[in-house]
Amino acid sequence: MRILTLSSSSLSDKSFRIGLGVVVIFAAAEILSVAYYYVSRIHVSQAPLRPGVVAMRTPSVSLAIVPPSANEAPPPAAPAAPSVIDRLLEEATALRARGDTANALARLQEASERDPKNAKVLEETAKIYESIQNFDRSNETWRKIQEIGPSAGASFELAATRLKLGVPTPAAVESGLPGPSRLDLGTSRTDANGTLEGSNLGITEVTATETPDADAETNLTLRIGVKKRPNAAIDHTKVKIQVYFYDTVDDKDVKLTDAEVTYEWLTPNHDWASSDPEMLAVTYTRPKSNLLSPEAALSAAAAAVNPGKKSPASKPGSAKAGESGRRKYLGYIVRVYYHNQLQAVRADPTRLLKLYPPSPTASP
């Protein structure tokens, strides 16, 4: 019995150890599996973070080295900045529109110093001089454009028209405003024949020729061409051409002349039936032995021509008391009226138009 007892105890201890070892092994396996599970989850949860870091770094590199697609449109080019001359011209135009001609001329002068051959700058300068009735300077500027030649484009054509026609029709005097009417040259337009827009007649030429004369201090003839607008029907009895001569008195004062003035038609009919200009000759004669007072009536200084009628020579008028001085020929103003409406004006020197601006209408 004792043997059985000892044998049974030994077997029981051995079985216990085996069972305990199996439990330990299973426990270790369970612990390992649990540890593996959690370690795996940690790796899985961290794995997306790494590509995210790389993704944040790679775009700058890829943008730097990958060329744009051929199908992609290039970005629009930035507009070119205006040149200094263009900027000055724009400022001058805006200043002239506001009536600030002094600063406008200053801007144009600066632009002209940078580019003396810029036709647009010269054109704007000439228009400003015309707007303030400084016709000597405006004509000088128009001639500069002519010297540039046809490469000046529209400015060259405008200069040729201005110098050919003279001063366009003046604007009417506003009611209630004192003083002479202002010539609205900036908006007047002319065609290729030198006729003002809305006018039927234009001056094509005024040529002054001085003839040597032993008996005269001055013997000068104006050859004046007057042409109708194409397809216009002209009633020659409604045409009036006025020619005014002016003298300087003691080389300072400007007055209507007291010299002898005669006129003669060079074209036989002067009725404007054809498209050719009708030519008028007006002669200024100051005799050396002129004993008449230089203070003749102003009305004798101008020749008012009514085409179709015989024109006698004008005679100096009677003297006016209180006027004296030595006279010399200065220049002329030619005015053309039709139906008593001013059609065209020409003057030399042009400053006479500032002293004696023409009326937009003639007396009937």
Side-chain angles (χ1 to χ4, degrees), residues 40-306:
S40 298
R41 290 197 60 179
I42 292 173
H43 281 286
V44 170
S45 62
Q46 290 180 349
L49 299 177
R50 293 179 182 175
V53 173
V54 176
M56 294 177 65
R57 294 177 181 175
T58 54
S60 61
V61 176
S62 61
L63 289 175
I65 62 175
V66 177
S69 172
N71 296 328
E72 295 181 2
S83 67
V84 176
I85 293 177
D86 291 339
R87 177 178 57 79
L88 290 170
L89 182 58
E90 291 177 1
E91 292 177 1
T93 304
L95 288 168
R96 179 168 73 93
R98 296 199 298 266
D100 189 355
T101 56
N103 285 321
L105 286 172
R107 299 291 196 284
L108 294 171
Q109 178 63 29
E110 183 179 349
S112 183
E113 290 175 356
R114 294 174 179 271
D115 184 4
K117 298 293 186 180
N118 190 301
K120 290 298 182 183
V121 172
L122 293 173
E123 177 183 337
E124 184 67 18
T125 303
K127 288 180 178 180
I128 290 179
Y129 280 131
E130 287 180 339
S131 70
I132 61 177
Q133 300 188 21
N134 190 339
F135 302 114
D136 287 336
R137 297 298 299 273
S138 66
N139 283 349
E140 178 185 346
T141 308
W142 289 125
R143 291 188 187 97
K144 290 181 180 179
I145 297 177
Q146 277 198 321
E147 291 173 0
I148 297 174
S151 61
S155 299
F156 175 78
E157 297 176 1
L158 181 59
T161 301
R162 281 287 200 270
L163 293 172
K164 179 180 179 181
L165 180 65
V167 181
T169 305
V173 181
E174 296 183 16
S175 177
L177 295 180
S181 62
R182 180 185 178 190
L183 299 180
D184 186 11
L185 303 176
T187 57
S188 300
R189 299 176 59 186
T190 59
D191 60 19
N193 294 316
T195 304
L196 292 170
E197 184 179 31
S199 299
N200 292 293
L201 295 168
I203 300 173
T204 60
E205 68 170 284
V206 179
T207 305
T209 304
E210 188 167 358
T211 303
D213 189 341
D215 297 327
E217 292 182 5
T218 304
N219 187 338
L220 180 140
T221 301
L222 293 183
R223 178 185 170 92
I224 305 166
V226 179
K227 185 176 181 178
K228 72 173 184 177
R229 180 185 292 276
N231 302 322
I234 300 298
D235 180 358
H236 66 275
T237 63
K238 301 299 183 182
V239 177
K240 182 179 292 186
I241 302 173
Q242 296 178 342
V243 182
Y244 296 85
F245 289 103
Y246 294 87
D247 300 328
T248 56
V249 181
D250 293 331
D251 293 326
K252 56 180 181 179
D253 296 328
V254 178
K255 295 184 180 296
L256 280 166
T257 189
D258 63 345
E260 295 180 2
V261 177
T262 60
Y263 48 89
E264 175 186 6
W265 283 105
L266 302 180
T267 47
N269 295 323
H270 50 271
D271 56 5
W272 289 275
S274 69
S275 59
D276 296 329
E278 305 291 357
M279 305 302 299
L280 174 69
V282 184
T283 301
Y284 168 107
T285 305
R286 178 172 296 283
K288 289 182 177 179
S289 57
N290 187 4
L291 300 178
L292 294 173
S293 169
E295 300 77 28
L298 296 181
S299 60
V305 181
N306 290 307

